[in-house]
């Protein structure tokens, strides 16, 4: 592992432990050259998952796209960063547990909306309005009525 401070290849692990999410390992490292410490995370490499977009284009699964969409939906809402990270972790776990090599983006969108619905109603409506591309106020109101009925 290269030192981020001096770019030396001489680094060693001084402490290892599971990260907070228990799906990666947190390693504290020490550079033998400059004596500075830094942290790395080691995660199991998974089989690449391909997402089939609405226009039938295919691209590799990108967790950051889900995270960005959820962050936009939760903007100025009383939702902690930890809750958002846990939500994204849960979504990613559910997607990978399907053990598919290709997954339609519509399936991912529905999973995100199901999880957001349980987390926060306003964030759910924001995400749904973009995802479902509401064309007019009536479709928007129908979605709100579904939430209110539950």
């Amino acid at each position: 592992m290269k030192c981020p401070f001096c770019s030396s290849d001489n680094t060693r692990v001084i402490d290892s432990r599971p990260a907070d999410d228990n799906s990666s390992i947190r390693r504290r490292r020490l550079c033998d050259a400059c004596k500075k410490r830094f942290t790395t995370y080691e995660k199991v490499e998974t089989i690449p998952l391909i997402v089939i977009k609405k226009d039938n284009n295919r691209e590799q699964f990108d967790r950051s796209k889900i995270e960005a969409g959820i962050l936009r939906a939760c903007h100025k809402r009383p939702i902690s960063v930890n809750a958002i990270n846990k939500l994204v972790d849960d979504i990613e776990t559910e997607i990978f547990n399907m053990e598919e090599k290709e997954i339609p983006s519509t399936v991912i969108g529905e999973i995100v909306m199901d999880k957001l619905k349980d987390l926060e109603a306003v964030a759910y409506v924001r995400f749904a309005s973009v995802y479902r591309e509401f064309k007019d106020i009536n479709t928007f109101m129908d979605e709100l009525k579904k939430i209110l009925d539950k």
Side-chain angles (χ1 to χ4, degrees):
M1 178 64 61
K2 227 176 214 183
C3 174
F5 303 105
C6 71
S7 297
S8 170
D9 286 332
N10 264 348
T11 64
R12 57 189 154 117
V13 175
I14 55 175
D15 181 39
S16 287
R17 64 181 68 174
D20 294 334
D21 61 1
N22 272 338
S23 66
S24 59
I25 299 202
R26 178 182 182 271
R27 298 197 191 280
R28 289 294 292 157
R29 294 180 175 269
L30 174 68
C31 176
D32 291 333
C34 70
K35 303 295 183 210
K36 291 193 177 180
R37 294 178 179 209
F38 59 100
T39 302
T40 60
Y41 291 89
E42 184 178 308
K43 198 168 191 170
V44 174
E45 188 173 50
T46 56
I47 300 167
L49 176 67
I50 302 300
V51 177
I52 304 168
K53 307 295 277 180
K54 289 179 184 175
D55 61 1
N56 278 330
N57 281 336
R58 285 166 164 70
E59 63 182 52
Q60 193 161 344
F61 174 78
D62 185 358
R63 172 192 167 100
S64 65
K65 287 187 175 186
I66 293 173
E67 197 169 25
I70 290 172
L71 283 170
R72 275 192 302 275
C74 295
H75 183 68
K76 293 190 178 181
R77 300 302 306 154
I79 303 167
S80 71
V81 173
N82 288 340
I84 292 171
N85 286 335
K86 183 179 180 334
L87 181 73
V88 175
D89 287 343
D90 291 347
I91 292 166
E92 187 178 33
T93 300
E94 187 170 329
I95 291 168
F96 279 102
N97 283 344
M98 296 169 102
E99 296 182 1
E100 298 289 334
K101 291 182 178 164
E102 293 188 334
I103 186 168
S105 61
T106 53
V107 171
I108 295 172
E110 293 298 326
I111 292 170
V112 171
M113 286 197 304
D114 283 347
K115 302 270 185 200
L116 265 177
K117 193 183 294 185
D118 296 336
L119 181 69
E120 219 265 344
V122 172
Y124 164 76
V125 172
R126 285 178 177 171
F127 187 89
S129 68
V130 172
Y131 175 73
R132 292 225 170 104
E133 299 172 343
F134 294 153
K135 300 290 184 227
D136 58 27
I137 192 74
N138 292 329
T139 52
F140 188 77
M141 290 304 292
D142 291 341
E143 196 65 36
L144 286 176
K145 286 177 187 169
K146 285 182 198 173
I147 294 172
L148 293 173
D149 290 342
K150 292 180 181 184

